[in-house]
Amino acid sequence: MRERIYRTEALILRRSDFGEADRLLLLATPGGKRRVVAKGVRKTTSKLAGHLELFTHTTLLLAVGRNLDIVTQSQTLSGHTTLRTSLPRLSCAYYAAELYDRFTEEDDESQQIFTLLVAILAALDQSSNPDLVLRAYELRLLHLAGYRPHLHYCAVCHVRLSEDADRFSPVLGGMLCPRDQDADRAALPVSGAAFRLLRYLQTQPLTVFEALRLSTQVRGETAHLLRAYLRQLLERDLKSVAFLDEAMRVE
């Protein structure tokens, strides 16, 4: 049972106005996804407002409420100001937040997923390759959620894949070896460059992505493959996809 007043680290993922001066907040926390209310935060005199901006990484003090817990104090750990003032980076953050929302349940504790999201938002705030940061996030989140795509072994027979593998099956959950290509006649074609990039992103730390110089075609193909897999799992596209695509086009 939680204490009546408790402290938690959090990321502000969504905000909506509530009543005359309050805001409802969707948080990512080490203890899982949580919906809370910040009372009076829309008043010009509120001391909380500056610490509860969208995508802020913060430490919160909350009081347990009847329906929603109430934010009583907030201390910013990182404001991610670059992210919030760049439309392409901001669109990536919206996408990352929605993906987190779809793969997590309220109060379902997951320190690893929270730590991942903290790292991804920090990377989006600084990286010159935000699209690659998103691809790495998708792959890591899929792994933590139990849906790691097969990129090193065939999704059907589990034999180690050679570099001539060129089919990805969203239905079967990964790459197919040449012998099992017919297991899914709707499997997507994959270029050698996209295959190598997917495997690289799945295993390498975020810090190495800055050195990558890739064609627009390979970046787009990789995004298309992972989006197809996510669509298969979630049974629809994310709402933020259209905003993300438009923002990245005008970058």
Side-chain angles (χ1 to χ4, degrees):
M1 183 176 179
R2 283 184 293 165
E3 299 290 338
R4 297 296 299 173
I5 296 176
Y6 64 99
R7 191 179 302 275
T8 185
E9 195 177 341
L11 290 163
I12 313 297
L13 299 187
R14 194 161 63 233
R15 309 185 310 172
S16 58
D17 292 346
F18 182 66
E20 293 186 0
D22 305 341
R23 275 206 176 104
L24 298 177
L25 306 176
L26 175 66
L27 308 177
T29 79
K33 185 168 58 181
R34 194 161 295 168
R35 300 175 198 277
V36 302
V37 62
K39 290 186 175 293
V41 76
R42 287 157 53 207
K43 294 179 180 178
T44 56
T45 56
S46 173
K47 295 181 180 180
L48 281 175
H51 297 281
L52 299 176
E53 296 290 344
L54 200 58
F55 304 123
T56 295
H57 182 199
T58 183
T59 298
L60 300 177
L61 188 67
L62 297 112
V64 175
R66 179 178 298 179
N67 297 312
L68 293 170
D69 293 353
I70 303 163
V71 179
T72 60
Q73 292 181 21
S74 179
Q75 181 62 50
T76 298
L77 299 174
S78 177
H80 298 138
T81 53
T82 302
L83 182 156
R84 290 190 286 109
T85 56
S86 163
L87 185 60
R89 295 172 193 268
L90 185 63
S91 69
C92 290
Y94 273 110
Y95 178 84
E98 187 181 0
L99 203 56
Y100 169 89
D101 191 17
R102 292 300 306 275
F103 274 99
T104 58
E105 300 293 336
E106 290 199 35
D107 295 323
D108 186 9
E109 183 174 349
S110 180
Q111 175 70 57
Q112 287 181 302
I113 292 180
F114 175 74
T115 300
L116 170 63
L117 189 55
V118 169
I120 290 300
L121 291 181
L124 288 174
D125 194 49
Q126 301 295 328
S127 178
S128 59
N129 282 318
D131 60 318
L132 297 185
V133 172
L134 277 192
R135 301 292 81 78
Y137 172 61
E138 290 165 338
L139 287 164
R140 285 159 172 74
L141 183 60
L142 285 165
H143 170 66
L144 292 174
Y147 299 104
R148 180 185 175 96
H150 296 276
L151 299 176
H152 296 271
Y153 296 88
C154 175
V156 175
C157 69
H158 306 296
V159 68
R160 180 177 287 276
L161 293 166
S162 59
E163 290 195 359
D164 62 347
D166 63 356
R167 289 292 185 275
F168 181 88
S169 170
V171 174
L172 298 175
M175 294 293 295
L176 305 177
C177 69
R179 188 180 64 184
D180 287 314
Q181 284 187 4
D182 290 340
D184 178 10
R185 296 295 181 89
L188 303 173
V190 183
S191 69
F195 181 31
R196 289 190 294 273
L197 178 59
L198 282 169
R199 298 213 287 190
Y200 186 80
L201 294 175
Q202 191 178 57
T203 58
Q204 298 301 310
L206 297 175
T207 52
V208 305
F209 298 162
E210 295 308 298
L212 295 180
R213 297 294 179 265
L214 301 163
S215 69
T216 301
Q217 181 179 354
V218 171
R219 291 170 184 262
E221 182 184 357
T222 306
H224 173 69
L225 292 168
L226 286 176
R227 191 172 294 177
Y229 186 40
L230 289 166
R231 186 185 304 116
Q232 174 67 31
L233 294 172
L234 299 174
E235 300 182 344
R236 64 179 181 181
D237 279 323
L238 300 182
K239 294 178 181 178
S240 56
V241 163
F243 175 43
L244 173 65
D245 288 346
E246 181 63 26
M248 297 303 283
R249 274 196 295 269
V250 301
E251 184 179 16

